[in-house]
Amino acid sequence: MATASSSAVGKLSREEFRRQKDLDAARKAGTAPAALDEEGKAINPHIPQYISQAPWYLDTGKPTLSHQRKPKEGESTASIDSWYDRGKTAGPAASKYRKGACENCGAMTHKKQDCLERPRKKGAKYTNKNIAPDELVQDLEMGYDAKRDRWNGYDPSEHKRVYEEYAALEAARQKLREEQIDNQTTTDMSVVKKVAKAGKEKKEGDDADEFGSSDDEGEDEDKYADAADAVGQKLDTKTRITVRNLRIREDTAKYLINLDPDSAYYDPKTRSMRDAPDKGQGEDAVFAGENFLRGSGEARDMQRLQLFAWQSAARGNDVHVNANPTQGEILHRQFQDKKEKLKDTTKTSILAKYGGEEYLEKAPKELLQGQTEQYVEYSRTGNVIKGLEPAKVKSKYDEDVYLGNHTSVWGSWYSKIGQWGFACCHSTISKSYCTGQAGIEAAAASSTANMLKAPHASASRSSPPREEQRSLVEQHLDKQARGETASSTEQRFDHSGKRRLGEAETLQLDQDKLRRAIQEEKKRKSGKKDEWEEDGDERSKKRKTGAMGDSGFAVTEEEMEAYRLNKPNFEDPMANYVDMEDV
């Protein structure tokens, strides 16, 4: 690995270079011993040259790998912040001149030509007086970065002197200005303002005080503010040309707001970020993207004005926003007014010709979308905790409208049989007239439950007397003694315990009424409509007076018997038999 020190030796000749190549090949083949470093350790011949060769500032002229190793803890290497201790001495000053010391100041650490003290008229070598102490000589082994650090050894506290100097200048200038104002005998504010601005009117020929020159005294902070560049711009007062700067240096760069590589794209060429880097922050975002800035404020109005100017220029009109912005704004406003008037005129003419204005009326947004921006917070019980309770949505039907002398609305009462009605009269007819309390009593009397509770005359005459409360065994023995069976009893009584019509134990029928009833039933079934309608009035009169008044049934026993006799029995196998000889 002799090539590592080739830079220190110099350029090799052709013969030396050939021998070096042969030696490297022999070391890799194992026929020649490996190179040794300064510590006697063998260097692997297969290590590439860019690793084994030391940089020029660390090259020692010998093969080594120390530049690739971490320095040992025991080695005293100076850090990047270490610097010489200025002003420190090695000890107290000597009392007399020493041989070999500086002839000027008497210190042993340097010679006369290197002395930094002012040359004396007679040196310390000849006077043996005011001999300077020896300086502390430090040998710092600084690295590559520490040697080239231009701010190494700088004391930041020294910069405070600059602030103190400017503060003293400002205080003296303010004091001088106050003294000039106090010396004035007039109270006119115009004179006071002239005195306050006197510093601006002074020229270069004025005398300077101890705090600065005449130029510094003649300029005020207002003058400095006028001469300063605007934020984000560079203004040349001679050429009056404004050059756009990149950004304010105190602001955070756009690409540093969100370091996620999948966030908004940043174009380094135009230094623009159109999308928002942090979309989740909303209004609290520091930067919402350039597209947001372009669409906010008066940017849209400016875009519409620019578009109007372009379109007007294309039609031959002399409109230019930058050359004459006032004219462009006035023409654009006139154009908008004419456009709105034309739109209203067209709409009015169409509605007057075709109609349909009622279909243009829209319902409120709260009803269409079912939502609102009004915040309301409710508790678990449904009470409003925060915000105003929204108003109840009204129905499309008329509410609280009482018709027909009613005092309640339709649907305020629900009957037991499942019908809606009025609560004031219990009427189930929607357009009926209110009858008040009398209607409630009539509805209660005509209910099915009350009709079932009322005793019937026929049932009281035909039904057997109630038996005394006896056991079932005793009732069964009594029925067997009377010769009754359970089947005959079940045939005469239905499940509710009432006797069916025409099935009494000892049925007594009037033969004349039965004969007429059979004839009427035959007329009804035969289809003789005229004869049936002639007897209709008589039958209805008879049922209202006789039948309903006596037994409570609209059908008499004779009519029921006639219906039963003429009723076809479908269970009879010979019911549909027709004798062909009779035909």
Side-chain angles (χ1 to χ4, degrees):
M1 300 301 293
T3 56
S5 59
S6 60
S7 59
V9 175
K11 186 176 180 181
L12 300 177
S13 63
R14 183 177 299 178
E15 186 66 20
E16 292 175 349
F17 182 76
R18 185 183 61 80
R19 287 200 301 267
Q20 185 66 36
K21 282 290 185 182
D22 294 342
L23 180 59
D24 293 342
R27 287 175 176 173
K28 292 180 180 179
T31 56
L36 302 177
D37 58 0
E38 65 273 7
E39 297 179 358
K41 297 180 180 179
I43 300 177
N44 191 347
H46 297 282
I47 296 177
Q49 184 180 4
Y50 72 91
I51 296 178
S52 61
Q53 187 176 2
W56 59 270
Y57 52 87
L58 294 177
D59 192 7
T60 58
K62 298 179 181 179
T64 180
L65 291 177
S66 60
H67 59 277
Q68 296 288 350
R69 297 189 181 97
K70 184 178 180 181
K72 297 181 180 180
E73 297 179 357
E75 295 179 358
S76 58
T77 56
S79 62
I80 193 172
D81 296 331
S82 59
W83 195 247
Y84 300 98
D85 295 333
R86 296 179 179 179
K88 288 190 176 182
T89 58
S95 59
K96 62 180 181 178
Y97 179 77
R98 292 162 294 177
K99 187 179 180 180
C102 177
E103 297 179 358
N104 185 39
C105 65
M108 292 289 296
T109 53
H110 61 272
K111 299 296 181 179
K112 182 179 180 181
Q113 59 268 20
D114 298 330
C115 185
L116 299 179
E117 189 178 343
R118 178 182 58 85
R120 302 179 183 181
K121 186 176 182 180
K122 289 184 179 182
K125 179 179 179 182
Y126 305 102
T127 59
N128 278 332
K129 295 179 180 179
N130 298 329
I131 296 176
D134 299 340
E135 295 93 354
L136 179 63
V137 180
Q138 294 175 295
D139 187 11
L140 298 179
E141 297 180 2
M142 294 183 292
Y144 180 81
D145 297 333
K147 288 180 180 179
R148 289 157 181 81
D149 187 7
R150 57 179 300 194
W151 292 102
N152 193 0
Y154 177 74
D155 188 7
S157 60
E158 295 180 359
H159 192 63
K160 293 182 180 180
R161 299 178 183 177
V162 180
Y163 289 102
E164 294 174 357
E165 182 180 357
Y166 278 94
L169 287 172
E170 184 63 27
R173 188 179 294 111
Q174 186 70 20
K175 184 178 179 180
L176 181 61
R177 211 177 280 166
E178 292 175 356
E179 290 178 357
Q180 292 178 357
I181 294 175
D182 294 339
N183 294 332
Q184 295 294 330
T185 58
T186 179
T187 57
D188 191 1
M189 291 301 297
S190 61
V191 178
V192 176
K193 290 181 180 179
K194 290 181 180 180
V195 175
K197 294 181 180 179
K200 295 183 179 181
E201 300 176 357
K202 290 184 178 181
K203 297 181 180 181
E204 297 181 357
D206 296 341
D207 295 334
D209 56 359
E210 58 180 352
F211 295 102
S213 62
S214 59
D215 295 336
D216 296 337
E217 183 183 0
E219 294 180 352
D220 197 12
E221 66 271 6
D222 297 335
K223 184 176 181 179
Y224 291 127
D226 294 339
D229 295 340
V231 178
Q233 294 181 350
K234 289 183 178 179
L235 182 63
D236 189 359
T237 56
K238 295 181 180 179
T239 58
R240 306 299 296 178
I241 297 176
T242 302
V243 182
R244 181 183 178 185
N245 200 355
L246 301 181
R247 62 178 174 86
I248 304 175
R249 296 304 174 184
E250 290 79 6
D251 295 345
T252 305
K254 302 173 185 176
Y255 53 84
L256 295 178
I257 297 176
N258 190 356
L259 301 179
D260 188 3
D262 297 332
S263 61
Y265 173 72
Y266 175 75
D267 188 7
K269 185 175 181 180
T270 59
R271 298 181 180 89
S272 61
M273 181 179 289
R274 296 173 178 83
D275 200 0
D278 292 334
K279 295 183 179 180
Q281 293 185 1
E283 298 180 355
D284 299 335
V286 179
F287 178 71
E290 296 182 355
N291 290 339
F292 175 78
L293 299 176
R294 292 173 183 173
S296 61
E298 299 181 356
R300 295 183 179 179
D301 298 338
M302 189 62 190
Q303 291 175 1
R304 296 191 188 98
L305 180 59
Q306 184 65 51
L307 181 61
F308 168 74
W310 289 340
Q311 293 176 353
S312 300
R315 296 187 183 97
N317 299 325
D318 188 10
V319 179
H320 199 281
V321 178
N322 297 331
N324 196 347
T326 306
Q327 179 188 8
E329 183 69 25
I330 294 174
L331 293 177
H332 184 235
R333 191 176 303 170
Q334 294 176 358
F335 171 75
Q336 292 292 340
D337 295 341
K338 292 181 180 180
K339 184 177 179 181
E340 292 295 332
K341 290 180 181 179
L342 181 61
K343 185 177 180 181
D344 296 341
T345 305
T346 306
K347 180 180 178 181
T348 306
S349 60
I350 293 175
L351 292 177
K353 185 176 182 179
Y354 300 102
E357 186 176 0
E358 63 274 7
Y359 299 106
L360 298 178
E361 298 178 357
K362 294 183 179 180
K365 189 181 293 184
E366 290 79 6
L367 293 179
L368 292 176
Q369 300 180 356
Q371 59 185 358
T372 179
E373 295 182 358
Q374 185 178 4
Y375 177 76
V376 181
E377 185 176 351
Y378 296 90
S379 63
R380 294 183 178 179
T381 58
N383 299 326
V384 179
I385 298 177
K386 188 176 182 181
L388 299 178
E389 187 173 3
K392 296 181 180 178
V393 181
K394 294 185 178 181
S395 174
K396 64 179 181 178
Y397 302 100
D398 295 336
E399 297 182 356
D400 300 334
V401 178
Y402 305 107
L403 302 175
N405 201 27
H406 288 284
T407 58
S408 60
V409 296
W410 167 258
S412 58
W413 177 72
Y414 188 74
S415 64
K416 296 182 179 179
I417 59 177
Q419 293 181 349
W420 292 99
F422 296 94
C424 56
C425 61
H426 290 189
S427 175
T428 57
I429 302 174
S430 60
K431 296 184 180 181
S432 63
Y433 192 82
C434 183
T435 56
Q437 187 65 25
I440 297 176
E441 295 176 357
S446 62
S447 62
T448 307
N450 292 337
M451 292 180 64
L452 293 176
K453 291 179 180 179
H456 304 290
S458 60
S460 62
R461 290 195 301 266
S462 60
S463 60
R466 292 185 178 179
E467 299 178 353
E468 298 178 359
Q469 293 183 358
R470 292 180 295 174
S471 64
L472 296 176
V473 178
E474 293 176 354
Q475 294 179 11
H476 181 66
L477 293 176
D478 293 342
K479 290 179 181 179
Q480 286 183 352
R482 291 195 303 267
E484 297 179 355
T485 60
S487 61
S488 62
T489 305
E490 291 176 359
Q491 291 176 0
R492 291 194 303 271
F493 295 90
D494 57 4
H495 297 286
S496 62
K498 298 180 180 180
R499 181 181 60 82
R500 293 192 296 269
L501 186 63
E503 296 183 358
E505 296 180 1
T506 57
L507 186 61
Q508 300 294 334
L509 299 175
D510 190 354
Q511 298 298 327
D512 295 336
K513 293 182 179 180
L514 180 59
R515 193 181 303 109
R516 287 195 299 270
I518 292 173
Q519 292 176 1
E520 292 176 0
E521 184 67 19
K522 288 181 179 180
K523 289 178 182 180
R524 187 181 67 82
K525 286 190 174 184
S526 62
K528 295 181 180 181
K529 185 176 182 182
D530 298 337
E531 297 179 1
W532 173 257
E533 290 179 355
E534 290 177 0
D535 300 337
D537 297 338
E538 184 180 355
R539 287 195 306 274
S540 61
K541 183 177 180 182
K542 176 190 65 176
R543 291 177 180 177
K544 290 179 180 179
T545 57
M548 291 294 290
D550 295 339
S551 61
F553 291 93
V555 181
T556 60
E557 298 285 352
E558 289 79 7
E559 290 177 350
M560 194 67 192
E561 184 66 21
Y563 170 76
R564 190 178 293 107
L565 293 174
N566 291 308
K567 179 181 179 182
N569 189 5
F570 296 100
E571 297 179 358
D572 187 4
M574 299 299 292
N576 298 328
Y577 175 74
V578 179
D579 193 356
M580 300 304 295
E581 295 180 358
D582 296 339
V583 178

